[in-house]
Amino acid sequence: MIIILEPSITDHSEEYQQTFNYLSQLPGIATRVHKIQGAQQTLTEIYLIGDTKSLSADDIHALPGVERVIRISEEYRILGRHRDKQRTSGFEYNGIQFSQDNLNIFAGLCAVDTPEHVKTMLQALHEHGQTCTRMGAYKPRTNPYSFQGHGQACLPYVFELAGQYGIKVIAMEVTHEDHIEEIHKCLEQTGQPTGVMLQIGTRNTQNFELLKAVGRQQEFPVLFKRGFGITLNESLNAAEYLASEGNSRVIFCLRGVKTNMSDPHRNLVDFSQVPVIKRLTRMPVCIDPSHSVGSREHSPDGILDLMHATAQGIISGANMVLVDFHPEPAKALVDGPQAMLMSELDWFLKDVALTRECYQKRQKLAQQQRTA
Ligand code: PEP
Ligand code: MN
């Protein structure tokens, strides 16, 4: 059971103390307080864990300072929606809003290779009014002899260049908890020129110790990728590890699933699940067409498969797109064959805007149908 307190209630208020004391002495029930930091105010939710079936929701609703009571019907206690349309979704980070209602594009390098390529990428994004990017410093590779990413050595120039080009948020994968501290330190040393969203890659979806470490810190939000070979439910449960440790600023990313049924694509595109995740949870949903499709092939209509896949996700309401670009894909050290070209950025963004507009029109049409 989740008890949502009125927005004006703080830990020090009389109502909070009374309600919390009452709940704490319920036999066989543990309480856990969860704070949701919104743009204007902090919302307090109290979770009752244990056998809550015998509790009366009406009695609890009548306690001081209680706004609403929700019976949890499904898993993903904190991140879940629990059939409650009013539950807030999303968060703000470094001036950028992330929610189930808007769209952010994270175009950038799969892996940082040279400062020149980083600069070219960020400059192009800036020229197109973009404020977010992706930049891989720590790369999980199949082959131990492949390039593993420049790691912390590249962070100073990546962050400084990001600041110079007005980039507010960089999605950056971490593969070990030490990387969080490295990123934190480097941001501090460079004077916080930008922000970082910690990415959990598909190979680490169920690396529970890493998830706990990323969940324990509150500084950075998290981009969490679904596992490539597990069910959606298993991935959503894994995402809940982040929230259960205290960090519920989580975006869930679809990136395709591994099966040779996807041939000739790298993974089977799973973007039809965008609305499913929005229904089951409060997380904004990201799509990663690059790691799903994995190539620059195009169909007779002249549109790249990557862009068709992107459109499929956006037309279903995706809230974020993570996409690989590279100034010289032939020289890219990771995933060159799936990188879009700088000359295609303008086209890509226009196609995205067109598809988003179409989604918004579909949303209106659905509203008209429901109110008719
Ligand atoms: C990536 O985004 O660079 C990446 C490695 O993706 P995934 O974890 O989805 O394979
Ligand atoms: Mn990659």
Side-chain angles (χ1 to χ4, degrees):
M1 186 178 272
I2 303 173
I3 299 157
I4 301 173
L5 301 185
E6 287 159 9
S8 57
I9 303 290
T10 67
D11 299 12
H12 309 294
S13 54
E14 178 109 355
E15 292 101 323
Y16 179 89
Q17 295 300 338
Q18 281 180 24
T19 294
F20 192 75
N21 290 345
Y22 174 84
L23 297 171
S24 307
Q25 49 77 41
L26 290 171
I29 307 260
T31 55
R32 191 147 165 177
V33 178
H34 184 72
K35 304 253 183 220
I36 298 154
Q37 186 66 53
Q40 311 291 338
Q41 57 203 12
T42 306
L43 207 62
T44 307
E45 295 186 343
I46 303 177
Y47 291 76
L48 299 188
I49 301 157
D51 186 13
T52 56
K53 281 194 200 74
S54 58
L55 296 178
S56 151
D58 287 343
D59 287 355
I60 291 182
H61 193 195
L63 293 170
V66 174
E67 184 177 278
R68 279 181 316 122
V69 176
I70 305 170
R71 277 208 186 273
I72 298 182
S73 50
E74 289 134 11
E75 293 161 290
Y76 345 124
R77 221 171 255 175
I78 299 170
L79 296 175
R81 182 164 282 292
H82 309 300
R83 301 179 194 282
D84 183 311
K85 285 199 193 120
Q86 290 178 57
R87 291 200 85 195
T88 49
S89 93
F91 54 89
E92 194 206 295
Y93 173 65
N94 210 22
I96 307 289
Q97 199 64 38
F98 296 92
S99 82
Q100 286 194 339
D101 300 317
N102 70 350
L103 176 65
N104 290 294
I105 308 299
F106 281 62
L109 304 181
C110 176
V112 171
D113 42 27
T114 68
E116 292 71 31
H117 287 151
V118 173
K119 185 170 184 232
T120 306
M121 184 73 236
L122 298 180
Q123 194 166 16
L125 290 172
H126 181 65
E127 280 163 10
H128 286 86
Q130 297 297 302
T131 51
C132 300
T133 190
R134 59 159 295 151
M135 290 280 154
Y138 309 95
K139 299 305 299 179
R141 304 304 303 281
T142 304
N143 183 333
Y145 305 109
S146 302
F147 173 64
Q148 305 283 309
H150 288 309
Q152 67 174 321
C154 70
L155 299 183
Y157 68 78
V158 169
F159 294 164
E160 274 161 5
L161 284 166
Q164 278 170 33
Y165 290 106
I167 299 295
K168 301 278 180 207
V169 188
I170 303 174
M172 180 174 279
E173 180 163 358
V174 289
T175 56
H176 191 281
E177 66 173 288
D178 289 353
H179 300 157
I180 308 169
E181 186 57 21
E182 290 175 12
I183 291 170
H184 166 84
K185 275 213 180 107
C186 186
L187 280 172
E188 214 168 52
Q189 280 159 6
T190 51
Q192 311 287 347
T194 187
V196 171
M197 181 180 285
L198 303 178
Q199 186 176 319
I200 299 289
T202 195
R203 291 157 190 82
N204 280 315
T205 301
Q206 285 186 314
N207 181 343
F208 300 121
E209 296 311 315
L210 178 64
L211 297 181
K212 286 183 201 167
V214 171
R216 275 194 298 272
Q217 62 78 39
Q218 306 282 323
E219 184 179 357
F220 307 109
V222 187
L223 177 62
F224 177 86
K225 289 204 169 187
R226 87 168 292 175
F228 58 70
I230 56 176
T231 64
L232 183 64
N233 176 271
E234 285 163 336
S235 290
L236 293 175
N237 266 297
E240 181 75 9
Y241 266 87
L242 299 161
S244 77
E245 292 291 329
N247 192 345
S248 54
R249 296 193 295 171
V250 184
I251 295 176
F252 190 90
C253 182
L254 293 169
R255 47 81 70 211
V257 291
K258 205 179 186 75
T259 156
N260 57 10
M261 303 292 173
S262 69
D263 289 352
H265 287 167
R266 182 172 173 181
N267 286 286
L268 191 67
V269 179
D270 52 354
F271 300 166
S272 60
Q273 288 181 326
V274 168
V276 177
I277 297 154
K278 288 170 87 169
R279 179 167 70 239
L280 291 176
T281 80
R282 301 187 284 160
M283 290 184 276
V285 183
C286 176
I287 51 164
D288 176 347
S290 305
H291 292 81
S292 301
V293 170
S295 85
R296 294 187 29 81
E297 292 292 340
H298 61 82
S299 43
D301 58 18
I303 304 173
L304 302 183
D305 289 12
L306 281 166
M307 286 170 63
H308 273 301
T310 305
Q312 286 156 17
I314 292 178
I315 212 158
S316 306
N319 307 112
M320 174 168 160
V321 181
L322 188 74
V323 56
D324 292 1
F325 272 76
H326 199 284
E328 293 179 277
K331 290 192 186 162
L333 298 175
V334 185
D335 285 347
Q338 70 191 26
M340 293 194 61
L341 315 176
M342 304 316 293
S343 58
E344 293 167 337
L345 180 61
D346 192 60
W347 174 31
F348 180 82
L349 292 173
K350 281 183 180 145
D351 201 60
V352 161
L354 197 67
T355 323
R356 175 70 183 171
E357 202 181 304
C358 186
Y359 167 70
Q360 285 167 329
K361 286 185 180 158
R362 294 179 64 220
Q363 226 181 351
K364 276 211 187 88
L365 201 60
Q367 272 157 13
Q368 283 163 10
Q369 172 70 19
R370 287 187 178 276
T371 50

